[in-house]
Amino acid sequence: MIGRYAFGAGSVMAEEIEWHLAGAAWLVGLSYTLVSDDHVRVDVLHERMSVRKQGWIELLGLLFLLLPFAAIVRLRSVAVLLVVVPSGGGIARRRPVCPTAGRSSSSCRSASR
């Protein structure tokens, strides 16, 4: 961002690397907190419940919050892959395709407004 606005020169590769590193950091951080049981929850209510109730709350949270989110991400990813893979990938492509309708990126942006 500094390179783009301060020097008038941006780098798509640098932005892509940034997003990949940020994604990897989130995955590692979230995995660690889940494994070490340090994730955020409402401790005021949680500490007053029995272990059995705590387990039910954890299960319901996974079923109704985590799994639907993971399903949405997976479905959206498959939609993008179905467009990008047959076209030979995204690097050689000059105009990215809107994953929902197969339109070019400019018409995709105008359609979402």
Side-chain angles (χ1 to χ4, degrees):
M1 194 160 117
I2 294 171
R4 182 175 43 212
Y5 292 114
F7 303 114
S11 171
V12 174
M13 185 184 301
E15 289 180 22
E16 289 292 327
I17 290 171
E18 173 191 356
W19 281 107
H20 285 87
L21 290 175
W26 272 96
L27 287 174
V28 169
L30 290 175
S31 300
Y32 172 77
T33 57
L34 186 61
V35 168
S36 63
D37 200 30
D38 288 337
H39 51 288
V40 178
R41 60 171 73 89
V42 183
D43 284 331
V44 174
L45 301 176
H46 196 262
E47 67 186 8
R48 295 179 184 177
M49 295 180 185
S50 67
V51 175
R52 185 178 175 97
K53 283 185 181 179
Q54 289 176 2
W56 276 107
I57 296 292
E58 294 285 331
L59 179 66
L60 292 175
L62 287 172
L63 289 176
F64 292 110
L65 299 173
L66 178 66
L67 292 180
F69 175 76
I72 290 168
V73 168
R74 182 174 177 173
L75 291 173
R76 297 292 297 182
S77 299
V78 169
V80 171
L81 284 175
L82 291 175
V83 172
V84 172
V85 171
S87 69
I91 295 173
R93 190 171 197 53
R94 298 224 180 229
R95 298 183 69 178
V97 175
C98 180
T100 56
R103 297 185 294 251
S104 68
S105 62
S106 60
S107 61
C108 183
R109 275 188 240 119
S110 64
S112 65
R113 290 181 183 162

